[in-house]
Amino acid sequence: RVQLQESGGGSVQAGGSLKLSCEFSGLTHSTYCLGWFRQTPGKEREGVAAIYWHDDTTYYSDSVKGRFTISQDKAANTLYLEMNGLKPEDAGLYYCATRPIYNDYVQPFNEYEYNFWGQGTQVTVSS
């Protein structure tokens, strides 16, 4: 059974930093894409960063590029999202998610491709 659990959310002022963590277990395939998504009320869920488990290839949305860093600790089965220079528009419920990679074309920010999701951790940014 695949499980993902986010932590590290909180409240910060604009310009501040947070580091989110996502511990996961139960993955049995050899290659995965792991992603961070966020959602705010009234808006669609947005992919912000993704990484390939097997080769550390990373992807970032334009809205966070240069400010957020995705990384993974393979020994600890943990995914991270380091967020710097936070803006009020970065606020939302942040989810980690994962999908196996087969011989297919991965769209790292397409939420419908992801099979497994965590419960989310809240990020609040005050101006």
Side-chain angles (χ1 to χ4, degrees), residues 7 24 35 49 52-53 57 61 70 78-79 98 101 107 109-110 115-116 125:
S7 62
F24 53 88
Y52 284 176
W53 174 256
T57 299
S61 69
I70 188 170
T78 302
L79 178 72
T98 188
I101 298 174
Q107 300 179 79
F109 297 144
N110 182 351
N115 308 88
F116 307 105
V125 184

Side-chain angles (χ1 to χ4, degrees), residues 15-18 64 66-69 82-87 90:
S17 299
L18 282 173
V64 307
R67 300 187 297 121
F68 289 13
T69 302
E82 185 166 2
M83 307 185 294
N84 298 311
L86 282 162
K87 305 175 182 180
D90 293 319

Side-chain angles (χ1 to χ4, degrees), residues 112-123:
Y112 299 105
E113 292 193 3
Y114 286 78
N115 308 88
F116 307 105
W117 294 82
Q119 296 298 308
T121 186
Q122 186 69 43
V123 172

Side-chain angles (χ1 to χ4, degrees), residues 38-46 88-95 122-124:
R38 66 186 180 195
Q39 189 164 28
T40 53
K43 295 179 69 175
E44 292 187 358
R45 192 152 49 186
E46 171 193 15
E89 54 263 41
D90 293 319
L93 189 59
Y94 279 71
Y95 299 91
Q122 186 69 43
V123 172
T124 304

Side-chain angles (χ1 to χ4, degrees), residues 15-50:
S17 299
L18 282 173
K19 187 172 184 177
L20 306 183
S21 300
C22 172
E23 295 184 40
F24 53 88
S25 61
L27 301 184
T28 58
H29 198 59
S30 59
T31 56
Y32 284 90
C33 179
L34 296 121
W36 286 101
F37 291 77
R38 66 186 180 195
Q39 189 164 28
T40 53
K43 295 179 69 175
E44 292 187 358
R45 192 152 49 186
E46 171 193 15
V48 298

